[in-house]
Amino acid sequence: MTAQVLVLYFAQSVELTGLKEEELPDVPTPISSRDLWTLLLRRHPRLAALQHHVILAVRQQYVAVGDQVVTLADGDEVAVVPPLSGG
């Protein structure tokens, strides 16, 4: 099965992709968070700069990039959340 998801980019990920958001029409589901990250890297290789520091959020729930499996549905939001700096 596949799902159409909306990917939201924040902070440095906006700079690296040139996008604030995009729709992905055919994301396999269920999918591990690592495979989801790999799919995003294939679309935007410059995201590799965030490789070991990024967290994904699926339906506003944080998901570390790893073996955790997520089940996506049409219309779900996936956010790319790089480390935030500030004071």
Side-chain angles (χ1 to χ4, degrees), residues 5-9 17 19-24 40 43-44 47 78:
V5 300
L6 178 64
V7 181
L8 306 174
Y9 297 100
T17 63
L19 301 169
K20 289 186 177 182
E21 65 181 49
E22 70 177 323
E23 286 197 12
L24 299 182
L40 294 172
R43 293 181 65 81
H44 304 286
L47 286 174
V78 174

Side-chain angles (χ1 to χ4, degrees), residues 30-44:
I31 188 170
S32 74
S33 56
R34 179 177 291 115
D35 288 345
L36 181 55
W37 175 244
T38 300
L39 185 149
L40 294 172
L41 282 174
R42 277 193 223 117
R43 293 181 65 81
H44 304 286

Side-chain angles (χ1 to χ4, degrees), residues 2-18:
T2 63
Q4 179 172 324
V5 300
L6 178 64
V7 181
L8 306 174
Y9 297 100
F10 293 96
Q12 190 179 2
S13 65
V14 172
E15 297 168 22
L16 294 170
T17 63

